[in-house]
Amino acid sequence: MMGPLGAITSPTPALYTIPAGRPFLKDLIRPLMDFYAEDPVAIADLTLFLPNRRAVRSVSKIFYDIALEKKMSPDAVFLPRLRALGDVDEEDLLFTGGAPPDIFDLNPAADPQDRRFILAHLVAKKRAQEGKGVYWPSILQAADELASLLDSFHLEDVPLTSLENLVPPDVVENAAEHWQQSLEFLSIITTYWPDIMAEKGWMEPAARQQALIRGLTQIIVDEAKSRPVIVAGSLGTVRATGELMAAVARSPMGAVVLPGLDKDLDEKAWTEIDPPHPQALFRERLRRDFKGLSRQEITLWPHTDENSSKEGNARRAFLSLALRPAKATDDWYARFQDFCATERITAATKGFHLIAADTEEEEASLVALRIREALEVPEKTIMLVSPDRQLCRRVTEKLLGWQIEVDDTGGVPVGGTYRGTFLRNAAQWLSDPLNPGLLLTLLKHDLCQLGLAKSVMSANISEIDKALRGPQYWTDTEGLFDRLSPQISEDAMKVITTLFSWGEEFWSSLDLRDKIFAHISLCERLADNTQMTGAERLWRYEDGEQLALILNGILKSDVLPEDNNTSVYAKLFEALLGQGVVR
């Protein structure tokens, strides 16, 4: 019995696409609701895999919105089983059932912080052997690069030993010195790392995720024999995910929906596609996972043609032409002339604007202004899409100046959040306590109140700010106090003396772990106000919770960097926070 989706799942492989420029999730869900219109309860038998939890949340709302459009009762909307493909773990396999028993015998994934710090120690040891200086902030960055390399090897199922054979020996002998040094440096993960993993009883996180996805693949293939399964929106960038998609597409009741495959690109250009062309991923998937399946065998998802506009079709064709691979541009001018002759260029560029900015600051101001203009129209929405993270952050800050809060899906670096900035300001002052600029930056942060009312703290800071203006001639704490004491009130002076007395615990600590504890303790005490404790203010909301997780992981580690140098603590603390983001 094929069920409502019989026509969708019957091709082998059942592979579909929704063109670029279309609202992917809405186009995906609307036909599904139509297929199950006569028996809406049956949709609960469908399993729908989406790339991540964000997509899962969005789909739930889309089902609700379409139900309202169709004048269905929102209380009677049935959903398929929604799963996030990018977050597979043992609980998913237990919930699904039918997993191979050995999948639950996998070694635990390496602790992220310990893994990072152990790699950093290996890098430090290597540099010391080479007679180079050990600067821990840069060493942690090198460890992150090694961890990223390890992940990429495991995600593509490439053995680490292949690094040794990456270049023939005769080429290495004659290669530039820096290449030989690079290979020697990478011996850290080929010579030492496998033994460390075995000793710890760890498994690489990426390799473990691959194993879990392959276990899930076996379950899904069995499931798709009797109930429908759809994988939608995934690019299959991970080897195991690509294999899963191929298995689902070939299953009796499975289907895969790709986002934005270019079916109109001619074969000559298609064969010349290489990374970083946006279609390179699809070409690789079809070649590797679908045994060279032709694009012509991939059909449009139902009703996509009906919903596509003239402008949308023309714009896709225009962008396909503009992104044509370099090796297939010999007739590009003629193709562009033909495109213009059909007058599709007008439809393709409808609404396009070209704005030239002289500086990055001006560019961000112009973008922010256009966003503000759009939002002045009731019910109108707008999206900024850019690979430039710095531009996105500048635009976000400018919009906040107009009290416009935006959802930055790329996230904010954890050290650049409201609470992350406070912790970093404190670290910078602790590293250089006599610097008046760093002192005022810390005191002026909104979280810094020392248990005082906001108005009282502001008045004290104003006095301290005026007194510190002018040339700096003090070389110790006593000299700083002598400068301030005659010019500020007793209350303002108490703020300064209290701050320095609380910093003593940090400066007297001889161990990095103790310094971090003292740093955190200082921030909690500084964040006290008349309504809440500093701990309550510091570790709340998304940024505080994320920082608490990171710092707890750091403090629990037994392999912290061996560096208690106060002068470099601020740089080291930033490096310890890592590259995490708060979304």
Side-chain angles (χ1 to χ4, degrees):
M1 181 178 177
M2 298 303 292
L5 296 183
I8 294 294
T9 59
S10 56
T12 303
L15 199 55
Y16 299 87
T17 186
I18 294 175
R22 294 293 310 158
F24 182 87
L25 293 177
K26 286 185 179 178
D27 280 6
L28 173 71
I29 300 307
R30 198 176 295 276
L32 290 178
M33 294 188 74
D34 291 341
F35 288 134
Y36 286 97
E38 294 184 6
D39 186 10
V41 179
I43 200 171
D45 210 33
L46 165 67
T47 302
L48 179 58
F49 283 93
L50 297 163
N52 48 51
R53 297 190 190 277
R54 183 183 182 88
V56 168
R57 290 193 297 270
S58 298
V59 160
S60 300
K61 184 178 185 304
I62 289 170
F63 269 102
Y64 178 83
D65 292 341
I66 295 176
L68 288 180
E69 286 179 21
K70 294 177 177 292
K71 298 182 179 179
M72 298 168 56
S73 170
D75 295 331
V77 177
F78 289 89
L79 299 178
R81 294 185 293 170
L82 301 173
R83 307 282 294 282
L85 195 56
D87 298 311
V88 177
D89 55 25
E90 282 92 336
E91 290 183 7
D92 289 291
L93 301 184
L94 283 169
F95 178 76
T96 306
D102 59 346
I103 203 70
F104 300 108
D105 295 329
L106 296 174
N107 286 341
D111 178 83
Q113 289 291 8
D114 281 350
R115 176 188 187 225
R116 184 187 188 214
F117 293 153
I118 292 172
L119 284 170
H121 279 285
L122 292 175
V123 174
K125 183 178 179 181
K126 191 75 172 175
R127 290 189 177 176
Q129 290 172 348
E130 296 170 353
K132 298 178 180 178
V134 177
Y135 181 63
W136 279 99
S138 64
I139 283 174
L140 284 169
Q141 292 176 0
D144 289 336
E145 293 297 327
L146 284 176
S148 178
L149 180 64
L150 281 167
D151 288 341
S152 64
F153 268 70
H154 288 291
L155 288 173
E156 288 298 322
D157 286 342
V158 178
L160 292 178
T161 52
S162 64
L163 268 175
E164 301 170 359
N165 305 317
L166 193 61
V167 180
D170 57 325
V171 175
V172 173
E173 291 175 5
N174 300 314
E177 183 179 350
H178 74 273
W179 174 246
Q180 296 180 16
Q181 290 174 348
S182 297
L183 288 178
E184 176 65 20
F185 177 73
L186 291 175
S187 67
I188 289 173
I189 59 175
T190 57
T191 305
Y192 307 110
W193 189 245
D195 291 339
I196 292 173
M197 292 292 287
E199 179 185 341
K200 296 283 187 182
W202 286 344
M203 189 173 182
E204 287 289 351
R208 198 172 195 278
Q209 186 71 4
Q210 293 276 82
L212 291 173
I213 291 176
R214 289 190 169 109
L216 181 64
T217 300
Q218 295 183 42
I219 299 171
I220 293 174
V221 169
D222 290 338
E223 183 177 328
K225 294 176 182 177
S226 57
R227 45 174 40 175
V229 176
I230 294 176
V231 178
S234 177
L235 296 174
T237 51
V238 176
R239 175 68 68 93
T241 305
E243 294 170 1
L244 181 148
M245 292 165 64
V248 169
R250 295 189 179 95
S251 298
M253 297 188 70
V256 171
V257 187
L258 300 174
L261 173 71
D262 188 349
K263 285 175 56 64
D264 299 324
L265 192 65
D266 61 278
E267 199 60 31
K268 175 184 176 182
W270 178 258
T271 57
E272 296 293 351
I273 285 176
D274 288 313
H277 193 284
Q279 294 291 315
L281 278 169
F282 297 120
R283 183 168 181 263
E284 177 63 14
R285 292 295 80 72
L286 295 181
R287 182 195 65 79
R288 189 181 69 188
D289 300 317
F290 291 92
K291 311 303 180 185
L293 182 74
S294 168
R295 282 176 301 147
Q296 307 315 314
E297 297 179 62
I298 302 172
T299 55
L300 290 175
W301 185 245
H303 309 315
T304 301
D305 272 337
E306 304 165 20
N307 298 327
S308 294
S309 64
K310 177 183 177 182
E311 289 82 5
N313 290 332
R315 188 163 295 176
R316 277 190 294 274
F318 175 70
L319 292 175
S320 177
L321 183 59
L323 296 174
R324 195 171 177 82
K327 293 180 181 179
T329 54
D330 53 327
D331 59 348
W332 188 90
Y333 183 76
R335 286 178 177 274
F336 185 69
Q337 291 293 340
D338 291 343
F339 187 84
C340 293
T342 61
E343 298 185 357
R344 286 193 293 167
I345 189 67
T346 303
T349 57
K350 183 180 180 181
F352 274 22
H353 297 276
L354 176 63
I355 302 175
D358 292 329
T359 65
E360 293 178 344
E361 187 68 16
E362 184 180 5
E363 179 187 23
S365 297
L366 289 168
V367 173
L369 185 60
R370 293 304 298 267
I371 292 175
R372 181 182 177 181
E373 288 175 347
L375 294 177
E376 287 178 350
V377 180
E379 303 300 322
K380 190 169 185 178
T381 61
I382 185 168
M383 179 183 291
L384 169 63
V385 181
S386 172
D388 187 344
R389 294 300 308 146
Q390 289 298 113
L391 172 64
C392 294
R393 288 171 192 142
R394 283 195 179 95
V395 170
T396 300
E397 289 300 319
K398 291 183 180 299
L399 291 172
L400 285 174
W402 293 318
Q403 286 76 52
I404 299 173
E405 293 189 18
V406 296
D407 178 14
D408 185 353
T409 58
V412 179
V414 69
T417 60
Y418 177 61
R419 288 164 178 79
T421 302
F422 179 57
L423 286 165
R424 286 173 50 237
N425 288 349
Q428 289 161 3
W429 174 73
L430 287 167
S431 292
D432 188 6
L434 298 178
N435 186 314
L438 298 178
L439 172 61
L440 285 168
T441 299
L442 173 60
L443 290 175
K444 288 182 178 181
H445 196 286
D446 284 345
L447 279 171
C448 188
Q449 286 190 238
L450 286 83
L452 304 173
K454 189 68 179 175
S455 58
V456 174
M457 186 65 184
S458 297
N460 290 330
I461 292 173
S462 181
E463 290 185 43
I464 296 167
D465 189 357
K466 291 177 182 177
L468 286 175
R469 293 179 184 179
Q472 175 184 343
Y473 52 80
W474 56 87
T475 57
D476 54 27
T477 305
E478 185 177 346
L480 172 62
F481 289 179
D482 289 342
R483 166 70 173 268
L484 292 173
S485 184
Q487 303 183 56
I488 62 178
S489 66
E490 186 176 335
D491 287 343
M493 193 64 201
K494 186 176 180 181
V495 168
I496 293 295
T497 55
T498 299
L499 176 61
F500 274 82
S501 67
W502 287 349
E504 284 298 334
E505 181 184 355
F506 174 88
W507 297 314
S508 62
S509 299
L510 301 178
D511 177 78
L512 178 60
R513 191 187 315 277
D514 292 339
K515 283 188 177 296
I516 297 172
F517 269 119
H519 173 198
I520 293 171
S521 175
L522 170 70
C523 290
E524 289 181 344
R525 296 167 84 175
L526 292 178
D528 279 340
N529 68 9
T530 54
Q531 287 84 37
M532 300 173 65
T533 67
E536 289 174 322
R537 295 183 71 204
L538 193 56
W539 309 120
R540 65 197 314 219
Y541 302 124
E542 290 89 346
D543 55 344
E545 291 173 2
Q546 179 83 347
L547 284 162
L549 284 172
I550 292 172
L551 292 172
N552 281 334
I554 291 170
L555 292 170
K556 286 179 182 177
S557 177
D558 295 327
V559 283
L560 280 175
E562 298 168 354
D563 192 339
N564 63 352
N565 188 340
T566 296
S567 62
V568 300
Y569 176 78
K571 293 289 185 183
L572 179 56
F573 181 73
E574 286 192 34
L576 286 171
L577 289 182
Q579 302 169 348
V581 296
V582 177
R583 291 185 171 88

